Amino acid sequence: MSGLPAWAGAFDPDRIETVAALPLPLPVRDWAWGGATGHGVKVAVVDSGVEADHPRVGGLAGAVSIEPNADGGTKVVEGLHEDLVGHGTACAAIIRMLAPDAKIYSVRVLGSNLKGRGATFLAGIRWALDNGIHVVNMSLSSKSDQWFGPLHEIADEAYFRNVMLVCAANNVPGPTYPSQFASVFSVAARPGSDPHAIAYNPRPPVEYGACGIDVDVAWQGGGSIVATGNSFATPHVAGLIAALLSKHAGLTPFQVKAVLQAVADNAEG
Amino acid sequence: MTTPSPELAALLVRIGDLAGQATRPTTLRAELARAAASVRQLLDAAACSIALVEPDGGSLRFFAADGAGSQAIIDITMPVGRGIAGWVAMAGQGIAVGDVSRDPRPARAVAEATNYVPTSILAVPLMDEEGAVLGVIEVLDPQLGSDDTGRALDVLGTVGDQVASIVRLAQVYDNLGAALLRALTQAEDEAGFGDALRELVATEGDELAGLAVAFHDLASLGSDASILARRVLEEVAAFARSRR
């Protein structure tokens, strides 16, 4: 039997290693996002859709649905839509909690058929890049070699355009994309209830651990549930990045990565 | 349709027998039922089920289960665009969700069929080596400690990786008979049969067609090689029988 994911246990409080970080002004959390609201920052939730009128979401700045075409391509359908499951709503609400004034966009890429899944996923990221999005929350991944190249290419493009792709690591062993790429923020769940707490894994590709185990999250129908998964840790990091960018506009992905390392619970220096 | 030589015909019959023995639905069901039972015991859960993606890509069919409601759930289908299992299949990500009874919609069809409404669900995708989603493993009401949910997802993800291998192998053999039949019907003669198989490989990337080509080429080397091919197949068939 193959082993657990390489990062499994990396964020256990008893095992995590201390890392040297940049000497940012103390206290680093205050410097990073003290008083920040996410104002002026656009965040896309690439997922199952978002319930705009959910009390914990508090409205959307926009919504599109990426749907497969009969010819194998994709089309963009603008306008509010339902959340097919509740997961996208959960992510949007977490981002809203951490960056209350951010402009949140729902980019629904999950639909009614698994065929064309990779194409809609890629088209969702493309929409975000073409529409001035600053932070993209992707609680999704692909193991497909077919999509390695296209996803790598668009992740590099995002990196060079200062668009932060925040991606969930996968519990299934083996590489998944784009969370495997150095150009993205790869996130796994770790114990703890502080939504602002981050840990840095010195043994990437999974770099950041955030709140994602037994967390109370918004769900479809205006409700809420308790959930666990890397996909719930990911919007915590996306929300914190949105708050950071609203206070320190123009940071590049490598600068943001350094700040997140500096605010990590296991950082010293 | 071509008339293959007696040697090739015997080989095809043997391949067909092997494919049938390896891919009878009861075999895959039995393997997956054992996996579901093991997972349920491992996580001390009320139930564990394994649903596979239907060929049209639009729904999941429960193929094996163990525990509460396990008999009733078999062969129930649900759309991939709905529910927690659907999200797991679409996103390719594992999640654990508690308090699901607060929102009965995702599991309504399943709950009505099994007369069991879970409180919590763990679910991970089954993915093949190329990254295609083959199905989902769902665990209902696992007994976990307060800090164990994340670890349980990791373990379930790893088990899912192994279960996916079983599914993948079964699907590969499942396609063998169809690939051989298509090649036969498209061939004008025995040489054309080999060409037709190679064309199948080129156009569909069908691993089974590749296997068929390999045996066809081996048979074409002469009677000794053909005997060797048959013996290999017979041994594999015997192994498949012993596994049930």
Side-chain angles (χ1 to χ4, degrees):
Chain A
M1 177 181 283
S2 56
L4 295 173
W7 51 267
F11 298 108
D12 285 351
D14 297 337
R15 291 179 50 187
I16 194 160
E17 302 171 42
T18 301
V19 294
L22 287 177
L24 294 176
L26 297 174
V28 183
R29 277 197 194 186
D30 284 350
W31 177 87
W33 48 67
T37 66
H39 179 74
V41 178
K42 295 181 177 180
V43 185
V45 176
V46 179
D47 209 297
S48 56
V50 175
E51 204 169 86
D53 59 358
H54 193 292
R56 294 167 72 175
V57 172
L60 292 173
V64 295
S65 180
I66 311 295
E67 298 175 2
N69 267 336
D71 63 1
T74 58
K75 62 182 177 185
V76 177
V77 179
E78 297 204 20
L80 292 177
H81 46 240
E82 65 170 331
D83 183 346
L84 296 171
V85 179
H87 192 277
T89 300
C91 293
I94 291 169
I95 293 165
R96 178 69 73 209
M97 171 182 65
L98 295 164
D101 291 341
K103 292 184 175 179
I104 299 177
Y105 295 77
S106 173
V107 181
R108 191 170 79 184
V109 297
L110 304 186
S112 59
N113 199 294
L114 286 166
K115 293 177 179 175
R117 169 176 171 264
T120 55
F121 191 12
L122 187 70
I125 303 173
R126 168 55 57 198
W127 183 91
L129 263 60
D130 291 346
N131 286 275
I133 299 296
H134 302 100
V135 183
V136 182
N137 183 87
M138 294 189 293
S139 301
L140 319 163
S141 60
S142 171
K143 283 191 79 169
S144 170
D145 289 342
Q146 176 191 353
W147 295 102
F148 173 91
L151 287 170
H152 198 291
E153 188 175 4
I154 202 166
D156 276 352
E157 182 182 342
Y159 180 90
F160 292 127
R161 291 172 62 174
N162 285 351
V163 178
M164 318 294 162
L165 300 187
V166 190
C167 305
N170 203 306
N171 301 92
V172 177
T176 56
Y177 319 116
S179 67
Q180 189 82 4
F181 302 148
S183 51
V184 310
F185 297 77
S186 181
V187 183
R190 70 164 191 147
S193 58
D194 180 358
H196 290 85
I198 286 178
Y200 180 78
N201 178 16
R203 303 179 193 283
V206 176
E207 288 184 286
Y208 302 99
C211 185
I213 296 177
D214 295 329
V215 289
D216 180 84
V217 297
W219 207 247
Q220 67 178 180
S224 61
I225 57 171
V226 175
T228 294
N230 300 332
S231 61
F232 301 106
T234 304
H236 281 86
V237 172
L240 291 174
I241 292 174
L244 174 69
L245 292 177
S246 70
K247 188 173 178 183
H248 303 279
L251 292 181
T252 66
F254 62 85
Q255 289 172 317
V256 173
K257 283 193 174 200
V259 173
L260 293 185
Q261 187 199 46
V263 299
D265 290 350
N266 57 324
E268 66 176 5
Chain B
M1 180 173 167
T2 182
T3 303
S5 68
E7 195 171 61
L8 181 56
L11 189 57
L12 290 172
V13 167
R14 180 56 64 195
I15 291 173
D17 286 350
L18 172 61
Q21 291 178 40
T23 63
R24 273 212 319 255
T26 52
T27 302
L28 182 58
R29 283 190 194 275
E31 291 283 354
L32 295 186
R34 275 195 287 272
S38 299
V39 170
R40 187 170 82 84
Q41 286 187 340
L42 180 70
L43 297 174
D44 194 14
C48 174
S49 60
I50 298 173
L52 301 182
V53 177
E54 291 281 83
D56 65 0
S59 56
L60 289 161
R61 178 182 295 275
F62 286 95
F63 207 71
D66 188 77
S70 59
Q71 294 305 312
I73 202 174
I74 300 298
D75 284 333
I76 284 180
T77 59
M78 60 181 193
V80 297
R82 298 284 174 177
I84 290 163
W87 185 87
V88 167
M90 294 295 288
Q93 285 277 356
I95 53 172
V97 177
D99 301 339
V100 289
S101 55
R102 285 195 213 170
D103 179 7
R105 283 174 296 178
R108 180 182 295 162
V110 173
E112 285 177 354
T114 62
N115 200 27
Y116 182 80
V117 179
T119 300
S120 63
I121 296 175
L122 285 181
V124 299
L126 306 176
M127 289 191 278
D128 71 9
E129 292 171 348
E130 284 76 42
V133 176
L134 303 173
V136 175
I137 296 186
E138 239 182 6
V139 178
L140 306 185
D141 290 333
Q143 299 301 308
L144 301 172
S146 58
D147 295 326
D148 293 342
T149 319
R151 177 78 173 173
L153 267 183
D154 294 342
V155 170
L156 192 58
T158 304
V159 172
D161 199 39
Q162 303 302 308
V163 173
S165 298
I166 298 172
V167 177
R168 172 70 174 163
L169 185 64
Q171 290 183 343
V172 161
Y173 279 96
D174 212 22
N175 294 329
L176 177 58
L180 289 170
L181 274 176
R182 269 180 290 161
L184 270 176
T185 55
Q186 290 166 15
E188 295 297 324
D189 52 30
E190 190 169 320
F193 176 71
D195 292 341
L197 283 175
R198 289 184 185 86
E199 189 175 340
L200 273 177
V201 175
T203 56
E204 300 184 23
D206 192 324
E207 291 177 20
L208 248 299
L211 183 61
V213 168
F215 277 111
H216 175 265
D217 288 350
L218 192 56
S220 69
L221 292 176
S223 58
D224 288 346
S226 181
I227 290 169
L228 173 63
R230 278 200 297 271
R231 286 190 59 187
V232 169
L233 288 166
E234 283 163 1
E235 288 298 321
V236 174
F239 176 74
R241 280 194 295 272
S242 71
R243 294 276 290 160
R244 289 202 297 274

